[in-house]
Amino acid sequence: QVQVVESGGGLVQAGGSLRLSCAASGSIFRLNAMGWYRQAPGKQRELVARTTSGGSTNYADSVKGRFTISRDNAKNTVYLQMNSLKPEDTAVYYCEADEVLIAGGLRVYWGQGTQVTVSS
């Protein structure tokens, strides 16, 4: 079983920065993609940023140029550096980790979420 734990959320003023961390632990064969999603009240969960084990990344248009995703494969950890935060970035941020199974296929794990609140 794999556990995914996020940290680093909090309250920040508009224009400020936060860094989220997400660590996957447990009996991991190999991780493929890891990423960040967010869900604001009354809205659907949406992709924020995602990175593969090979280092390719993709971002939501709303965060391009402000957020940066990075990864430490040796530690099974992914980070999200968030700069120039806006009130509309307020949401619960969830980490996703895709485990490659020995028998083939993928299994997706989610963290419990961390709250990010940006005040105006």
Side-chain angles (χ1 to χ4, degrees):
Q1 189 70 5
V2 175
Q3 295 80 42
V4 177
V5 179
E6 305 102 332
S7 61
L11 173 65
V12 65
Q13 288 188 333
S17 298
L18 281 175
R19 188 189 193 215
L20 305 183
S21 299
C22 169
S25 61
S27 300
I28 300 171
F29 173 58
R30 182 167 63 87
L31 291 179
N32 187 16
M34 296 183 75
W36 292 94
Y37 292 72
R38 66 187 180 187
Q39 187 167 18
K43 295 188 177 181
Q44 289 188 329
R45 189 174 296 188
E46 62 176 3
L47 171 70
V48 177
R50 203 162 181 260
T51 180
T52 67
S53 58
S56 61
T57 59
N58 63 294
Y59 294 89
D61 288 343
S62 59
V63 307
K64 284 180 180 176
R66 300 187 298 122
F67 292 9
T68 302
I69 190 170
S70 61
R71 179 171 174 169
D72 185 334
N73 288 329
K75 295 181 179 179
N76 290 327
T77 299
V78 66
Y79 306 95
L80 185 68
Q81 178 66 43
M82 305 185 293
N83 299 327
S84 301
L85 282 160
K86 304 175 180 180
E88 50 264 43
D89 294 317
T90 296
V92 178
Y93 283 69
Y94 296 92
C95 178
E96 171 221 12
D98 297 348
E99 182 192 16
V100 178
L101 303 178
I102 295 176
L106 291 174
R107 181 172 293 157
V108 180
Y109 297 91
W110 291 92
Q112 80 288 352
T114 185
Q115 177 70 46
V116 172
T117 303
V118 184
S119 63
S120 57

